[in-house]
Amino acid sequence: MRKKMLTPLIFLNWLFIHSCNMMNSGVTLPGKIVVSNSQGHEYFIYMNSDIPKSFKLRYDNEVKYSGVDWLNTKDAFVGTEGISGLTNMEYRCNIVQFDLLGKITGRIYEAEKGELAWPKYSSRDDKYLIFTTHRQADPKKYPFEGLTPMLSLVVMDIEQRNVIIKIDSIGRSPNLKIEESPWLHEGYRFVYSIDGGTKLKLEGKEELINPVESPEGIYLFDVPTGERKLLVPGGHSAIASPTSNKIAYEKDNSIRVLDLSTNEEKVIYKHGSKEKLRGTHWTPDGKSIYFAYTYNWGLSDLFHTGEKLIDVSTGKEIAFKKIGHGFNPYTWK
Amino acid sequence: MGRSAGFFEPGWQPGSGSLSAGAFASQDARYNAYHIRAGNGSALREGTYTNNGNGGFTYSQNGSGLMMFNVWLGRQVSPGKFAGRWTSLNRDVAQLMVQKGYSLQLAFSMDQTQSDAQTWYFMSRDGSAANAHGLAYDPSTGMIYEVNHPSRGHGLLLWLEGILLNSVPNNGNKFSETKSVAYQWNMTDDKQRADFWKREGGSVFSLSPVTITNPAAATAWFQSQQGTPWNYNFFTNNCAHYAVQGLNAGGAGVNFIGPKPSSFPIAPTMSWSAGQGPVPIGK
């Protein structure tokens, strides 16, 4: 009896997913997208095309290159360079610049032994770079620091190679979120968020291993003044428009857009609690918001995945050719 | 207990002594895996035996074959003679096999040495929810070990779907797989940690401390699985079984039906997407 019930369910699931795969038509996503395949350390470059070129980065026991992100004013990347030490505690992570072939063209930030720098997004004019750092901790004394390290936030002048701002203990990973495109279109201001949605506990204990010590929400940081303020309480995963003074973010199971010039907020997409968004990003023309999602059916762990492109002005979904980048680490400009 | 040609893999040596219950019990923490030969049929099969946590084990040969063996009944589904690496340290099962008249041979990796006990953690995600998941965390190295599907999740229905259709849709990605794969995440690598939280973030994790008397053996067990297919079984060989087997390889002695974490046998796995997997060792 149970078998009879399961068989059509399985077939419907298979049919649904295959149908979704066949419906991959529409516009080609604008701009330049680089998707990494972390298993092979291969990077695929889509430049206004759905046919990629690729390059590989070295990743072995001595040196690990990874995590490329676009610079804005030229076709080059910043990325991380992990260098092994005599012990695990000496492992460090620099920030370097790559060309389109994955060749290193310069070192931007030299980490000390045991210091790990990550991630890094440059301002619109590539004058400044923001990134986080943390220190390797003794696992015997701090067994969970590897899971949820305390981070410092750093702002660096790329040309001068100077650290101009450093805020220690700003939050723990993964509570502190800095998405690609944190810099506002105008001025040297950027957004980040503190999100306590990921909770780590010891079995039988109520207190969290990764408590959130600042109010949760989206923060706006002004580099010239060094001031920061809570911009959207309860919001998270903020991304700044590349063409206007707006930010998009997630709050209460919706994607919202806030115009910082008028303080007007608009909901452009609503979803239920079973839908989990990932990889949210503005298109480079500032007209749409892209995201990938996982939708849990609430039956066993059955779910399906997909990608959407939402027109910011109308809130309507736009058909586009999917390359699946939202499920992977990627950079897009 | 002589060495048989083609039975032991390079780097593996035959263990000493017989497989009496006492010897097995006292020695199991030293070994990260066992080679096993069982049965007396005409065809000798070699492959990997994996404890399915339900009083039996599954057998695979180059990822293509599957044999279920029920030790408690003292019989296998298909008759024959089986030999291969047994990656479980469930000595009760081994002892039962001896009692049932099967001959077992031991082997162990030469580079494994006893080391000081450590505290590792079984990580349970949303233990009561539909998307529960079980993983193992070694804080001394920052490694998280898990078994999962690189291109999609599985769980009950997708597991059955894989059996029926022998194909898992790839959702537009470039590969299709029918089996789960064992992976590790190096949480000291910021990129891998970011990828891990990108996939797993937004959930509640409970960490259960587990005493590992032989960390080298546990590490070796997980590394021996790294990147290899896992015969996922929603009921008897799921993600939590994988994590617990690795912890037990290090002498944890965790029971599948003990107090906590008592939900091990029913914890399904969760999804991730192609390309988000962590990096194989040494790559």
Side-chain angles (χ1 to χ4, degrees), chain A residues 39-225:
Chain A
Q39 294 178 77
H41 306 287
E42 190 165 12
Y43 295 78
F44 300 90
I45 308 175
Y46 297 83
M47 289 203 175
N48 295 301
S49 164
D50 46 2
I51 308 239
K53 295 178 180 176
S54 68
F55 65 90
K56 281 189 174 181
L57 292 179
R58 182 182 172 187
Y59 198 98
D60 54 40
N61 288 333
E62 293 180 0
V63 180
K64 297 176 172 65
Y65 294 112
S66 63
V68 301
D69 294 291
W70 283 115
L71 285 169
N72 291 304
T73 58
K74 53 188 170 184
D75 283 345
F77 309 107
V78 285
T80 56
E81 178 188 49
I83 298 177
S84 299
L86 294 176
T87 66
N88 286 342
M89 298 290 287
E90 292 184 356
Y91 180 75
R92 62 196 171 101
C93 214
N94 301 324
I95 293 178
V96 294
Q97 185 171 324
F98 300 99
D99 64 16
L100 285 182
L101 300 175
K103 182 184 173 186
I104 291 181
T105 55
R107 275 184 184 73
I108 296 172
Y109 180 76
E110 295 269 5
E112 299 173 4
K113 285 182 180 177
E115 183 187 24
L116 308 172
W118 179 279
K120 57 279 151 226
Y121 301 116
S122 63
S123 57
R124 302 284 170 192
D125 58 0
D126 291 332
K127 177 176 176 57
Y128 295 121
L129 183 73
I130 55 173
F131 56 92
T132 59
T133 68
H134 72 273
R135 294 275 179 174
Q136 297 275 44
D138 183 347
K140 290 181 179 175
K141 292 180 180 175
Y142 311 101
F144 308 118
E145 198 64 17
L147 288 176
T148 173
M150 179 59 83
L151 303 171
S152 299
L153 181 66
V154 179
V155 181
M156 184 173 189
D157 185 313
I158 296 179
E159 188 178 331
Q160 301 296 323
R161 299 288 198 265
N162 281 344
V163 170
I164 59 170
I165 292 171
K166 185 175 184 183
I167 306 170
D168 287 327
S169 303
I170 191 168
R172 290 188 176 276
S173 167
N175 305 126
L176 174 70
K177 291 183 174 177
I178 305 177
E179 313 293 340
E180 183 169 61
S181 191
W183 292 91
L184 297 188
H185 181 60
E186 298 168 2
Y188 296 114
R189 297 182 294 170
F190 62 85
V191 286
Y192 66 90
S193 56
I194 301 290
D195 176 15
T198 302
K199 302 181 192 305
L200 294 159
K201 301 177 181 178
L202 262 178
E203 179 194 350
K205 305 278 187 183
E206 283 305 311
E207 59 265 35
L208 295 178
I209 292 168
N210 60 331
V212 173
E213 289 158 355
S214 307
E216 292 184 43
I218 296 165
Y219 288 79
L220 178 67
F221 191 97
D222 186 278
V223 172
T225 64

Side-chain angles (χ1 to χ4, degrees), chain B residues 65-88:
Chain B
L66 176 67
M67 188 277 285
M68 295 296 293
F69 183 93
N70 190 319
V71 173
W72 306 105
L73 295 176
R75 69 186 183 203
Q76 63 230 25
V77 173
S78 53
K81 193 172 184 178
F82 299 90
R85 187 202 304 180
W86 191 16
T87 51
S88 166

Side-chain angles (χ1 to χ4, degrees), chain A residues 248-293:
Chain A
Y249 55 93
E250 293 178 45
K251 184 179 179 181
D252 298 335
N253 292 333
S254 64
I255 297 178
R256 304 172 183 217
V257 173
L258 174 66
D259 189 329
L260 296 180
S261 303
T262 63
N263 213 28
E264 182 184 346
E265 184 192 68
K266 183 167 73 172
V267 175
I268 65 161
Y269 181 76
K270 285 185 177 178
H271 61 88
S273 58
K274 292 178 180 177
E275 189 171 321
K276 185 177 176 183
L277 311 188
R278 57 173 76 177
T280 308
H281 207 289
W282 287 86
T283 51
D285 58 13
K287 294 179 179 175
S288 313
I289 299 288
Y290 163 91
F291 60 88
Y293 66 91

